[in-house]
Amino acid sequence: MASTVGNGHGRLSSSEGVRRLFDDDSSPCVTVTHRAPSGTNSVDAEPMKMPNRNSCVNTSDVNRLISVENAKILALVIVIGAMLYHGIIRYRYGTDSCQWLLENGRFQGYGIWQPYGCMMHKFSKSDSLNCMRYISYWGGKNDIAFVGDSRIRQLYYEFIGLLSNEEIPSQKKHEDLRFTDPKSSVQVRFIWSPLLNASMLNVYDKWIGEKPDARPKIIITGCATWPIKKYNASEDAYLSFKHNLTFLVPKFQKLTESTKIIWMIQDPVVESQLNPNRSMITNRQIDLYNRAAYEQLVSTSVHVWSSSRLIAQGYTRESIDGLHAGKNTIAWDVQILLNMYCNDHMNFNDGTCCTTVETATTTQLVMAMVFILSFVIMVVMAIWHYKSCLFKAGHGGTPVLSDDAADGSHCADSTAAPPSADVTEDAVTVGNATEGKKPDWVWEIATSLSRLGLIMLYFFLCDRTTFFMKENKYYTHMNFFLPFSYLMILGLFFTENTKQTSILHRDITDEWKGWMQLVILIYHLTGASNVLPIYMQIRVMVSSYLFLSGFGHFYYFFTKGDHSFHRFLMVLVRMNFLVITLCLVMNRPYQFYYFVPLVSYWFVVVYLFMTVWPRVSVASVESNSLHYLFMVLKFAALAAAITLTYSSEVFFEKIFLIHPLRALFVSADDSISDWRFRWSLDRYSTLYGMLFAFGMLIGRRLKIFNDVNGESVLESRRLTWLLCLLSAVGIGVYGTFTALCQTKQQCNSVHSYIAFIPILSYLCLRNLRGWLRTKYSAFFAWFGRVSLELFIGQYHIWLAADTHGLLVLIPGYPVMNVVVTSFVFVCISHDIHCITERLVPYLVPDDCRRLARNIVCLTVAFLPLAVSRGILFST
């Protein structure tokens, strides 16, 4: 039961509250009319006058404040504030993510290091070898030198351990070491030089005397513990160290012209574990030496590596002798070095540290010009409108444009803005016959494109630049199930009644899509794909989307009989508008946003299925019952076609690799394997939805069930409870299956055959009982209405690095950052939904001539892009 809040004159349900919260058209409170009490005639009931006008005013103020439009304004303020904040950070501390990698970071959880502001790839041995071979292939030389004491020697052994196919045992020898691999042009040297004295200076003098090509590409160096130990932590040793640094810095400066030099700040020691002959090596002494090195090197071209010290502080218990770092500390240190050295060459999806941004393409520049032009038109129209209002007001006229105005604009007062982009009941969108005042189509298109342009600018800044920071995902059960539980409770709290009673009515389907979308967002946020049971539940949710898509499209075509080309284009353009825009702005292939190609493909299949002869609809089956048989035969043919396409890889490729369709199905590496995987995984889900819709319509006509009222669908109470019990068992059986299957490959191989079990089980539990079917969650339904925009928008403005990381607007506060980025992301997704609803009727008008004109214009506009990318013809 929905919770209620007293307002002094009645009770406001929590569901009504959420409806106001998510309502764009929250209007001021003008009058309050109460329903007649039970037992009285509603005709005799009169509106009750408010005894205190302030009560209405306060409610009105709250309704005006709590609305989507005000939320969007707040989101805009947050984005502007984040841009200013990150701009100041870059102005003060620079834009080099390598420096962030080496300087700062934190532990996301036990054993998981997160650099400050960028994502760090976890290098395996194969990744490391591929990096070296790639650099060598392009003529590079992998010459890396480690100079220092036994602590630096630990790094050397760990580093070459990831480059060698054979295990190399570490040795505690006070001598130089070398590792080479001619196949990858790898040379890694360790030079024993534990003291900052003439011996170390001579090492750098020798490199200075060599040609730049003969010098190491990277030098990792550092020392402190040996002078502390050898001279018993004397002050003279410390002063000598500082003095010798002044001789070392000029040599570093000469070498940095061709070599990247990294000075490693000394890790702390565990004083209680130190050998007695090392007792003078205290953390106070190490801090003195670190401070001296930092003061001398911070203003030079040398990179001071201090994040290694932070890592060591988290693993102090792993130290064996109190002096040398444990295995995990050294492993993370080497990961940092490899990210610094390889990321810009290898282009890992989850490694943004030390990478350069993509160069803007011609298509991206053209899109920027289109958005800028739209913004200029909007500004010019706004200025003209404002001046015209002032002119009329100054001449004593009513500042409202006359009815015969060409564009239908109006001025409510001297400060009125140009006409609203919303289409009211008095004006139908362009392409339809219009009565009354028409919206100014130029203004509406210009403002919509301007808003879209600002949104795309935010998309671009978030995921095609390093302006905003990014972090790696981190999964724990708590990270996943805590927000999941919170959102489920919140969704149940905002429950309200609905007047719709049919099975899978609009409110229930919106609710279903909404809560599934929220779960999918949590799944992507936490990186839960490696948890097999959760992964399989998400697969069911994707299948459910396709099930609902098949159900909805079949139901529409069967009951309405509308097979018009206009309807076909409207649905396709509506589904693909955002994705096509992102493909152009973000320079990603269409298949990158895999879900939209999937639902678009199956919509085309449903459309062709319902359109080709013989066409079957409600009207046709009422006149000829034989059409039911035709529909059954068409279903059998569709199932056979899907099975045949799946069974033959050659046949599959012949269908989807035909030009120009090929560009829609291949990924960035020109491979169709991703599309085949996605298509195969849910190849029957849409068919299941179509079959259910067909069966439901037959059952309704034969009066097998009754969903006209709010009662139970089935007359037999026992049968209803039996089906509910079987549905609960079905969900439990599928959950058991996900827990028992061993690998993703094993689970995926049978998923398409059994996905209907949990889908139909949930559907039965949700729709059989009348008291459940006539209630829905307004919270979930709101998200369900913008689920498409949420699913696609998350790629770039909630997640980061093309879904492989997390966007960071507030660094250092992960929980607050998730809250803020989520709020902005939801507001932007809703705005994109509204913009799409406004622009699609202009792109696909009802008028055939205008539609043909638009098709020709868009074909001409996209023709150069299609030719340049080889879409039309094979190369």
Side-chain angles (χ1 to χ4, degrees), residues 693-766:
F694 184 57
M696 186 188 75
L697 290 168
I698 294 176
R700 185 179 292 166
R701 186 181 182 190
L702 298 178
K703 297 182 179 180
I704 297 174
F705 62 85
N706 178 19
D707 61 350
V708 176
N709 52 40
E711 302 299 326
S712 178
V713 170
L714 300 173
E715 292 184 2
S716 172
R717 188 174 181 180
R718 290 183 178 179
L719 182 58
T720 299
W721 281 109
L722 177 61
L723 287 177
C724 289
L725 178 61
L726 290 176
S727 299
V729 171
I731 293 176
V733 168
Y734 186 83
T736 304
F737 161 74
T738 62
L740 294 179
C741 64
Q742 301 297 317
T743 63
K744 287 184 179 180
Q745 184 177 4
Q746 179 186 3
C747 293
N748 290 336
S749 63
V750 298
H751 168 76
S752 60
Y753 301 108
I754 64 174
F756 72 92
I757 296 176
I759 294 174
L760 291 181
S761 297
Y762 173 80
L763 192 153
C764 289
L765 289 173
R766 186 68 182 85

Side-chain angles (χ1 to χ4, degrees), residues 350 377 426:
D350 60 345
I377 293 173
D426 296 329

Side-chain angles (χ1 to χ4, degrees), residues 600-613:
S600 299
Y601 167 81
W602 286 113
F603 167 70
V604 173
V605 170
V606 175
Y607 177 79
L608 294 176
F609 176 86
M610 299 299 293
T611 303
V612 298
W613 186 89

Side-chain angles (χ1 to χ4, degrees), residues 122-324:
K122 187 69 177 291
F123 277 80
S124 63
K125 180 170 290 191
S126 61
D127 290 337
S128 306
L129 289 172
N130 288 336
C131 168
M132 302 300 165
R133 291 166 184 167
Y134 180 87
I135 295 173
S136 174
Y137 176 81
W138 291 103
K141 183 181 65 170
N142 301 300
D143 191 350
I144 301 168
F146 293 83
V147 181
D149 54 16
S150 56
R151 286 181 156 190
I152 299 294
R153 186 177 60 203
Q154 279 186 288
L155 280 178
Y156 164 80
Y157 277 118
E158 184 70 21
F159 190 87
I160 63 174
L162 288 175
L163 301 180
S164 175
N165 291 319
E166 299 178 357
E167 185 176 353
I168 301 177
S170 59
Q171 301 177 5
K172 298 181 179 180
K173 294 183 179 181
H174 297 172
E175 61 183 28
D176 297 347
L177 302 169
R178 184 186 299 267
F179 170 82
T180 58
D181 182 5
K183 296 181 180 179
S184 305
S185 298
V186 172
Q187 177 179 241
V188 185
R189 290 174 281 178
F190 169 71
I191 299 175
W192 174 257
S193 185
L195 296 171
L196 181 49
N197 53 16
S199 177
M200 179 179 285
L201 296 177
N202 289 335
V203 172
Y204 294 104
D205 284 332
K206 180 181 179 181
W207 280 328
I208 292 173
E210 296 177 348
K211 295 181 179 180
D213 292 342
R215 299 170 184 170
K217 290 186 65 176
I218 297 180
I219 298 173
I220 301 96
T221 186
C223 64
T225 57
W226 266 71
I228 295 173
K229 176 186 175 183
K230 185 173 183 179
Y231 299 105
N232 199 26
S234 66
E235 185 176 355
D236 290 340
Y238 167 68
L239 295 175
S240 176
F241 179 83
K242 290 184 64 177
H243 180 71
N244 290 339
L245 275 172
T246 60
F247 293 103
L248 185 62
V249 168
K251 302 181 187 301
F252 280 166
Q253 291 290 77
K254 293 180 180 179
L255 284 172
T256 52
E257 298 175 1
S258 59
T259 302
K260 178 177 287 188
I261 299 178
I262 301 172
W263 181 276
M264 186 177 182
I265 293 294
Q266 294 294 298
D267 297 342
V269 297
V270 183
E271 297 180 12
S272 60
Q273 296 183 20
L274 289 174
N275 192 285
N277 63 353
R278 294 173 175 168
S279 60
M280 69 291 296
I281 306 176
T282 63
N283 286 321
R284 180 178 177 277
Q285 285 290 317
I286 287 177
D287 290 342
L288 285 175
Y289 280 74
N290 283 338
R291 189 178 300 113
Y294 183 82
E295 291 173 353
Q296 289 288 336
L297 300 173
V298 68
S299 59
T300 68
S301 302
V302 177
H303 297 271
V304 179
W305 185 6
S306 55
S307 61
S308 62
R309 177 180 174 87
L310 299 177
I311 296 173
Q313 289 174 343
Y315 286 107
T316 53
R317 296 181 180 179
E318 290 190 358
S319 178
I320 299 175
D321 56 7
L323 176 65
H324 296 96

Side-chain angles (χ1 to χ4, degrees), residues 421-423 439-449 838-839 842:
D422 293 330
V423 180
D440 184 344
W441 65 272
V442 177
W443 169 259
E444 188 167 15
I445 292 176
T447 52
S448 297
L449 287 178
R838 294 184 186 124
L839 290 179
Y842 290 105

